[in-house]
Structure formats: C-alpha cells, structure tokens
Amino acid sequence: MVRPGIVATAVVIVTLLASPAPAQIEPQRSHEVSTQALKAARLSYERARKHFEKKDLEKTVKELESSLKRAPELSEAHFLYAKVEYLQKRYPEALDRMTRAEATYESSRNAYLAAHAESQREVQRLRDRQDVVLANLRAQLSQAASGSQRSLIEAEIAEAEHARDEYERRLLEQPQVGTGMPADYHFFHGNVLLRLNRYDEAVARYRQALEANPAHADASNNLASIYLSARQPGAALEVLEKAEAAGATVNPELKRAVLAAQSR
C-alpha cells in the first residue's frame, strides 16, 4: 500500500487539442437530429477549449454548459469540465466529472465514427457529381470550335479537376480516434485522486496511463514521485527507466533525487 508523507510531485493538467470524441448517437430514426446536435455541441466545446487555454474559466463553463445541453454524453466536454473544477480545487466534483467522461467515452467515440462516416458519404456524393461535371466539360471541349472557347473550357476543367482532387483527398482521411481509453484520461483521473489523498488509486490510474502510452512523461514523473515519497526509490527508478526506454523525457531533478535515495 502506498502512503506517502509529503508528495513531491508536480501535477500537470493536460489540455486535449483535437482528439474528437463526440456524443452517443441516437437510434436511426433520429440520426439526422443527433448529428446536427453533435456538430453544434462540438462547436461549443471548441470555443470552451479556446477559453480554457486563455484561462477564462467563466466563459469556458458557459460554453461547456451549452455543449452538454445539446449533447449530454459528450465525453471530451466532461473531461474539460473536470479540468475546470480541478483548477477551482473542487476535487470531488472533478472526480465525478472524470467518471462521467470515462463512462461516456466509448459511446462518444462510436458517435464520432458514425458522424465521420456520414460526412464521407456526402464527400463521395460531391466527388461523383464532380465526375459528371468533368465529363460534360470534356464533351464540350471536344466540340469547341474556336481557340478562345477551348481556353475557357480548359480553365473550367482545371478548376473542376482541382475540386475533385480535394474530394479525393478528404475521402482518404481517417477518423482521429484511438481504440481504447486515452492515456490522458487515466493520467488526469490520477491527478484528481492524488489531490484527494487516495494514493493507491492514483498509482493504479498512472499505471493505466502508462499501459495506454508507455511514453507518457507526466504519468511517469507523478508515479515515480509517489514512490519516492513513499520511500520506494527502486520502484520509482524502474518507472523512470521504462519511460526513458519508451522515448519519454523524465524530470531530471526527480531522477537525480531517485538515484540519490537509491544509493543510501
């Protein structure tokens, strides 16, 4: 059981930038309404994220409330809300919010994938329509009588081909979602638990973050700090060495303190 005295750890708040994880999709009969609500909710979320980056928590909360009103199961909105509550030192509320963010993550991911698929179908429709436009223009070009007519049609063809290439590029875009719970969710959950002095649970969360991303430097540093404060320098050193082997840059002062404790 880990029971540190003074926890010498820098709790880092990670801001997610663009990993989409929208709300739970409604049944097929209300799919169109759900998609529109999801788009509106994400717009509010993006505004909230920008306000959060500027440390304007009041505007952040306002936009998050608007986002969650449209899509109550928007996982990333709950996650950002947890960060706000954390900064406000409302740790029990932040913990509840993180629990909600994790509970809705999978359904949010599925909804995002459904919205992405719908968007791709629309892009394909536009690409196919562009093919018709190009076929008509090429037919006109073959019948053009004068050089000036040909030049005009050739310019239209070049423009239409450019548009079609853009649709083709968009059709190749893959949805930006992972296959499991993001490491940042586990890491931040661990931070909240740490503030609540629930050390064993925080350790478990940091370990889950490292399972999801072995190179997560912040999770490694926080976990090693807990072990160091609990007078377990061997465990702390093992964490830091594994992080470095995975390509993470660990806190050099923390590593020196761990090595010093290990040599005593």
Side-chain angles (χ1 to χ4, degrees):
M1 181 176 294
V2 178
R3 283 291 180 270
I6 298 174
V7 180
T9 180
V11 180
V12 181
I13 292 186
V14 178
T15 304
L16 296 183
L17 294 177
S19 296
Q24 183 171 4
I25 194 164
E26 296 293 328
Q28 185 64 36
R29 58 185 175 81
S30 59
H31 176 71
E32 184 176 351
V33 174
S34 176
T35 299
Q36 294 305 314
L38 179 58
K39 289 178 180 177
R42 280 203 50 78
L43 286 174
S44 292
Y45 165 76
E46 289 299 330
R47 289 193 291 267
R49 187 177 59 80
K50 291 176 182 177
H51 289 313
F52 183 79
E53 290 172 356
K54 296 176 182 177
K55 297 180 170 53
D56 190 334
L57 300 187
E58 184 177 349
K59 289 183 179 178
T60 301
V61 168
K62 182 178 180 180
E63 290 294 348
L64 287 175
E65 292 287 356
S66 177
S67 176
L68 291 169
K69 183 177 180 180
R70 293 181 171 90
E73 302 302 293
L74 188 61
S75 178
E76 60 193 315
H78 287 294
F79 187 14
L80 184 56
Y81 216 142
K83 294 178 183 179
V84 172
E85 291 167 333
Y86 181 94
L87 289 179
Q88 294 171 334
K89 299 184 178 180
R90 297 165 55 204
Y91 303 125
E93 290 86 348
L95 183 60
D96 288 343
R97 189 70 67 169
M98 275 311 301
T99 301
R100 183 73 179 273
E102 291 167 348
T104 58
Y105 178 77
E106 189 64 27
S107 59
S108 292
R109 177 182 179 276
N110 291 339
Y112 170 72
L113 291 174
H116 179 79
E118 181 175 302
S119 175
Q120 291 295 80
R121 286 192 292 272
E122 174 62 13
V123 171
Q124 185 169 354
R125 186 185 68 80
L126 293 171
R127 191 275 315 273
D128 293 345
R129 188 172 68 181
Q130 204 65 19
D131 284 339
V132 175
V133 170
L134 278 167
N136 290 336
L137 286 171
R138 286 167 182 151
Q140 292 176 31
L141 182 63
S142 66
Q143 298 173 5
S146 66
S148 59
Q149 284 182 319
R150 291 184 64 84
S151 295
L152 288 172
I153 296 172
E154 285 171 351
E156 290 184 53
I157 289 175
E159 185 176 345
E161 286 177 337
H162 177 76
R164 188 189 187 284
D165 289 344
E166 177 61 18
Y167 293 138
E168 281 289 342
R169 183 193 66 78
R170 289 171 60 186
L171 284 173
L172 294 174
E173 291 178 350
Q174 297 297 316
Q176 301 299 307
V177 292
T179 56
M181 189 78 67
D184 286 326
Y185 275 53
H186 294 301
F187 166 69
F188 190 75
H189 197 147
N191 288 350
V192 179
L193 290 166
L194 195 61
R195 289 297 189 184
L196 293 169
N197 298 323
R198 293 163 61 171
Y199 300 109
D200 290 335
E201 293 172 84
V203 164
R205 281 293 177 167
Y206 290 142
R207 288 205 169 278
Q208 285 178 291
L210 292 173
E211 287 176 9
N213 177 13
H216 199 296
D218 294 324
S220 300
N221 289 329
N222 283 13
L223 180 57
S225 293
I226 293 176
Y227 283 135
L228 179 61
S229 296
R231 297 186 177 87
Q232 298 179 39
L237 184 59
E238 181 183 1
V239 169
L240 296 180
E241 288 178 341
K242 283 184 177 180
E244 289 179 320
T249 301
V250 302
N251 185 320
E253 293 183 6
L254 172 61
K255 187 172 182 181
R256 282 194 292 272
V258 169
L259 289 171
Q262 178 82 341
S263 64
R264 289 176 194 149

